[in-house]
């Protein structure tokens, strides 16, 4: 009998069984049993010797084992399971094959390292008894703390689910949210948070967050500068507080392999920003915002952020009677030019993103929706430096369907990242709910697949558990269920694309643009006279059905 901690997904071994000291051909029976699951480090599996050398007489095991190296290259933190293997030797055993000899020393070391890691991982300081969340497609309906569809390493159209989806936890909702709303105070009290503004509290909270990310298997996080560390009495003190917590963040990121999808500056909570930040009527306020963003970019660079987001919380107006809108938008563009200059100066490589929102907190936000932001960027010659971070709950506030801004920005090559959430379409405000609607997520993932992925952006859960969902477990379930919804969306969208029926039916609607005068108009070569001639010769166009219900029925087939 042999025992080893090995990477696994569900109940499948993924990196072979190095503790065998005999080739499979020498064995008449192999019984494998998985017990105990935990997180672990698979980086040492980077190159598993013996790949492909397993005995073909056990194809069912070999095919799983062959996945090992591919899997290991992509992940550092994975699930480990204790694999117990009992073997029965054949009487006329084949001679020892060389591969196990060659595997054993390396694996002995690896096992020791894994055992050490496992010990560290067993310390469940903040979420005792919860997680890690496992992939369990056979889960009962009431088992919601599992993934039924999200299987990080499963390939869909040539990439793993993890690569397509690039999930991220947002710190402000999940670790700073208290459930308070304009009508009532906090309802959510986390055991690690003493409610003070101390640096100790900030650090404890951050440690809790990293335990959460790891148990969930999410590889990215996002934050606002002021979520991480408290404001001090002066900007210098505030920056020093931030530096202290950022150092801990760097350490935790390094230890867990969790990366920073994006950072952003909170330019809306402090009273100084009541008239706006980059669009304030007071230039001194804009200077403060510029200083804050300077530090934000430095922090983003320090932590290797893959993007940097601007959401103009107070960049808008409440009244046109007291506002010079042209001046405010000119100032916003000038502000972004300073940002580009500093980004280049310090060598920050992340993608800059603007997040549209139609209203709230201001009556009218300047970054109203995707088309408004793209027009603004063109107007001021900034389009090469920015992409968009689309939040579908904001899209619906602009009066558009859920997927509208994702599709519009993607159509122009401007979809940079997604704040994956949803609202209640019957309400007129931003409720930041977890995305749980399969149809919506399918439509979003179709756009993401069609543009060949969202990297360096990702799907950031800018979503908060309801103020009535007060258990720690609710936080896990919310993320796991939303991840599962997007995984379903991904699989559905992949089928829609591979089957090609949508592309075929859509192309059929536009066939008249592919030849003759239609194609000349599309290329910008036709004239009004030429068009007139066609109509004179051929008469009125024949009305064609749009077949909307046919398309809707096809979509339902995939959902
Ligand atoms: C606000 C919102 C922000 C941005 C980042 O509605 O979505 O949290 O995502 O500032
Ligand atoms: Co957002």
């Amino acid at each position: 009998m042999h025992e080893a901690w090995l990477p696994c997904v569900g109940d499948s071994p993924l990196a072979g069984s190095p503790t065998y000291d005999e080739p499979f051909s020498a064995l008449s029976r192999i019984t494998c049993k998985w017990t105990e699951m935990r997180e672990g480090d698979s980086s040492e599996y980077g190159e598993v010797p013996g790949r492909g050398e397993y005995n073909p007489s056990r194809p069912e095991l070999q095919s799983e084992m062959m996945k090992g190296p591919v899997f290991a290259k992509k992940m550092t933190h994975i699930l480990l399971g204790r694999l117990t293997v009992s073997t029965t030797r054949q009487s006329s055993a084949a001679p020892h094959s060389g591969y196990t000899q060659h595997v054993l020393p390396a694996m002995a070391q690896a096992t020791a390292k894994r055992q050490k890691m496992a010990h560290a991982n067993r310390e469940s300081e903040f979420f005792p008894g919860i997680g890690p969340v496992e992939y369990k497609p056979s889960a009962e309906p009431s088992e919601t703390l599992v993934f039924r569809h999200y299987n990080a390493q499963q390939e869909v159209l040539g990439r793993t689910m993890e690569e397509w989806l690039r999930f991220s936890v947002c710190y402000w909702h999940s670790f700073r949210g208290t459930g308070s709303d304009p009508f009532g105070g906090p309802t959510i009290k986390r055991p690690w948070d003493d409610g003070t503004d101390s640096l100790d509290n900030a650090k404890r909270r951050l440690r809790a967050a990293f335990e959460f990310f790891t148990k969930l298997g999410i590889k990215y996080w996002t934050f606002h500068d002021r979520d991480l560390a408290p404001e001090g009495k002066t900007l210098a003190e505030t920056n020093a507080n931030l530096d202290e917590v950022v150092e801990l963040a760097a350490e935790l990121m390094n230890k867990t392999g969790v990366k920073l999808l994006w950072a952003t500056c909170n330019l809306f909570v402090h009273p100084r920003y009541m008239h706006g930040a980059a669009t304030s009527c007071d230039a001194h306020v804009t200077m403060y915002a510029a200083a804050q963003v300077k530090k934000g970019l430095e922090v983003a660079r320090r932590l290797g952020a893959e993007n940097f987001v601007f959401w103009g919380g107070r960049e808008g107006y409440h009244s046109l009677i007291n506002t010079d809108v042209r001046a405010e938008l000119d100032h916003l563009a000038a502000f972004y030019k300073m940002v580009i200059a500093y980004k280049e100066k310090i060598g920050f490589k992340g993608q800059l993103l603007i997040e549209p929102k139609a209203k709230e907190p201001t009556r009218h936000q300047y970054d109203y929706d995707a088309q408004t932001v793209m027009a603004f960027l063109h107007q001021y010659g900034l389009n090469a430096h920015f992409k968009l971070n689309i939040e579908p709950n904001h899209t619906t506030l602009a009066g558009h369907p859920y997927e509208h801004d994702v599709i519009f920005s993607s159509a122009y090559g401007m979809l940079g990242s997604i704040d994956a959430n949803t609202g209640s379409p019957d309400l007129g405000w931003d409720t930041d709910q977890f995305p749980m609607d399969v149809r919506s997520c399918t439509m979003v993932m179709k756009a993401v697949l069609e543009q060949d992925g969202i990297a360096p952006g990702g799907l950031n859960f800018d979503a908060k558990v309801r103020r009535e969902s007060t258990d720690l477990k609710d936080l896990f379930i919310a993320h796991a269920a939303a991840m599962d919804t997007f995984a379903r969306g991904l699989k559905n969208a992949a089928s829609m694309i591979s089957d090609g029926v949508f592309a075929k039916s859509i192309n059929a609607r536009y066939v008249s643009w592919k030849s003759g005068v239609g194609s000349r108009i599309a290329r910008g070569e036709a004239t009004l006279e030429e068009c007139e001639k066609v109509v004179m010769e051929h008469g009125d166009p024949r009305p064609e059905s749009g077949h909307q219900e046919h398309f809707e029925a096809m979509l339902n087939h995939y959902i």
Side-chain angles (χ1 to χ4, degrees):
M1 201 177 82
H2 308 279
E3 270 197 347
W5 285 100
L6 290 172
C8 61
V9 164
D11 55 4
S12 307
L14 286 168
S17 175
T19 52
Y20 287 126
D21 51 8
E22 293 174 279
F24 291 157
S25 57
L27 308 169
S28 61
R29 209 171 121 236
I30 302 177
T31 320
C32 302
K33 194 169 158 232
W34 290 98
T35 48
E36 268 189 83
M37 297 291 165
R38 67 177 191 218
E39 289 151 47
D41 183 345
S42 75
S43 50
E44 66 266 30
Y45 286 102
E47 285 304 324
V48 178
R51 182 185 180 194
E53 289 177 27
Y54 298 101
N55 191 308
S57 69
R58 302 275 169 188
E60 75 284 6
L61 287 173
Q62 175 170 319
S63 63
E64 291 300 316
M65 290 169 177
M66 291 287 282
K67 290 183 198 158
V70 179
F71 177 78
K73 260 186 226 152
K74 289 176 182 154
M75 300 195 66
T76 47
H77 290 271
I78 56 157
L79 205 60
L80 293 177
R82 184 185 287 279
L83 178 67
T84 311
V85 183
S86 322
T87 55
T88 314
R89 219 158 180 271
Q90 278 178 8
S91 46
S92 57
H96 233 98
S97 98
Y99 82 90
T100 45
Q101 309 286 350
H102 146 88
V103 171
L104 275 171
M107 294 314 297
Q109 260 183 6
T111 306
K113 188 174 164 203
R114 277 197 304 279
Q115 266 154 9
K116 213 168 112 210
M117 279 280 311
H119 181 71
N121 284 330
R122 256 201 293 265
E123 285 168 19
S124 183
E125 209 184 328
F126 301 99
F127 302 94
I130 314 182
V133 183
E134 55 172 297
Y135 174 56
K136 191 175 173 195
S138 62
E140 297 292 320
S142 59
E143 270 184 276
T144 49
L145 197 45
V146 291
F147 298 126
R148 285 159 219 274
H149 297 273
Y150 181 64
N151 183 7
Q153 296 309 309
Q154 187 179 322
E155 291 219 350
V156 176
L157 294 184
R159 266 178 230 168
T160 62
M161 285 196 172
E162 186 174 75
E163 285 168 326
W164 284 120
L165 295 164
R166 295 172 60 83
F167 291 128
S168 162
V169 176
C170 96
Y171 196 70
W172 57 97
H173 286 313
S174 293
F175 288 88
R176 302 306 315 266
T178 61
S180 58
D181 71 10
F183 302 94
T187 55
I188 295 172
K189 175 90 189 77
R190 300 304 185 201
W192 55 80
D193 202 314
D194 64 15
T196 67
D197 252 355
S198 72
L199 280 167
D200 275 353
N201 198 26
K203 289 181 191 171
R204 212 168 31 246
R205 198 187 276 138
L206 196 62
R207 287 204 182 87
F210 275 78
E211 185 179 319
F212 179 74
F213 306 154
T214 319
K215 285 191 157 176
L216 208 53
I218 283 195
K219 300 291 163 53
Y220 289 95
W221 68 308
T222 55
F223 62 78
H224 290 94
D225 50 357
R226 300 296 175 254
D227 299 328
L228 280 191
E231 287 227 27
K233 284 190 206 66
T234 61
L235 181 62
E237 203 181 293
T238 304
N239 287 349
N241 288 349
L242 187 57
D243 282 339
E244 197 169 327
V245 184
V246 162
E247 280 321 301
L248 175 63
E251 195 186 298
L252 292 168
M253 286 169 68
N254 196 24
K255 194 164 138 203
T256 58
V258 172
K259 295 189 264 184
L260 185 56
L261 186 69
W262 50 261
T264 186
C265 287
N266 183 326
L267 303 175
F268 45 91
V269 161
H270 197 280
R272 77 173 71 86
Y273 294 126
M274 67 179 177
H275 301 297
T279 64
S280 173
C281 47
D282 180 352
H284 196 156
V285 171
T286 300
M287 287 171 222
Y288 198 106
Q292 190 176 330
V293 168
K294 172 180 175 288
K295 182 71 184 170
L297 288 168
E298 289 161 11
V299 162
R301 181 171 167 274
R302 163 79 182 92
L303 295 177
E306 300 190 16
N307 304 270
F308 192 91
V309 165
F310 292 90
W311 170 60
R314 306 258 167 207
E315 318 295 17
Y317 68 77
H318 281 289
S319 169
L320 286 168
I321 291 180
N322 67 0
T323 307
D324 182 344
V325 294
R326 179 63 200 253
E328 293 198 355
L329 283 162
D330 285 353
H331 299 160
L332 183 57
F335 189 89
Y336 284 139
K337 285 182 181 157
M338 294 196 285
V339 167
I340 294 164
Y342 195 64
K343 170 187 189 259
E344 280 163 8
K345 183 170 174 185
I346 64 171
F348 170 56
K349 298 275 177 276
Q351 170 70 56
L352 300 177
L353 299 168
I354 296 181
E355 182 174 327
K357 186 172 182 181
K359 51 189 163 188
E360 199 198 17
T362 67
R363 181 179 177 196
H364 171 92
Q365 304 270 133
Y366 290 134
D367 297 330
Y368 193 88
D369 63 0
Q371 280 189 294
T372 311
V373 174
M374 290 190 287
F376 165 85
L377 292 171
H378 272 275
Q379 169 72 26
Y380 291 98
L382 294 165
N383 46 309
H385 300 278
F386 287 88
K387 285 195 177 181
L388 272 53
N389 181 40
I390 299 297
E391 178 166 327
N393 195 171
H394 295 174
T395 308
T396 53
L397 287 185
H400 305 310
Y402 186 90
E403 63 272 19
H404 173 103
D405 270 1
V406 164
I407 290 175
F408 269 68
S409 55
S410 179
Y412 286 89
M414 292 295 278
L415 175 60
S417 198
I418 295 173
D419 267 3
N421 71 359
T422 193
S424 291
D426 47 325
L427 298 176
W429 62 92
D430 199 9
T431 55
D432 287 328
Q433 290 165 236
F434 279 86
M436 301 286 188
D437 180 61
V438 181
R439 183 207 171 276
S440 302
C441 295
T442 301
M443 292 303 289
V444 167
M445 288 317 296
K446 183 164 175 285
V448 168
L449 289 177
E450 281 169 349
Q451 69 162 33
D452 197 29
I454 191 84
L459 300 181
N460 173 50
F461 291 121
D462 187 354
K464 55 187 173 208
V465 286
R466 299 302 84 194
R467 90 189 276 272
E468 304 81 11
S469 301
T470 49
D471 289 353
L472 278 181
K473 212 173 160 189
D474 294 320
L475 193 60
F476 272 91
I477 293 173
H479 283 85
M483 289 161 81
D484 245 9
T485 313
F486 263 102
R488 280 177 77 177
L490 169 65
K491 289 193 277 187
N492 294 344
S495 306
M496 284 168 79
I497 291 170
S498 332
D499 290 356
V501 287
F502 273 87
K504 202 169 144 216
S505 305
I506 294 170
N507 282 339
R509 294 192 70 212
Y510 295 88
V511 70
S512 58
W513 292 89
K514 303 290 179 247
S515 61
V517 181
S519 70
R520 287 177 47 71
I521 304 176
R523 290 199 300 272
E525 294 165 3
T527 62
L528 293 181
E529 295 93 311
E530 221 178 320
C531 296
E532 183 190 49
K533 191 161 167 272
V534 172
V535 177
M536 291 297 182
E537 278 171 17
H538 298 279
D540 257 20
R542 192 167 59 87
E544 297 275 359
S545 171
H547 305 301
Q548 184 176 323
E549 299 75 9
H550 166 72
F551 278 85
E552 286 166 345
M554 284 203 299
L555 179 57
N556 281 350
H557 167 80
Y558 289 98
I559 293 164

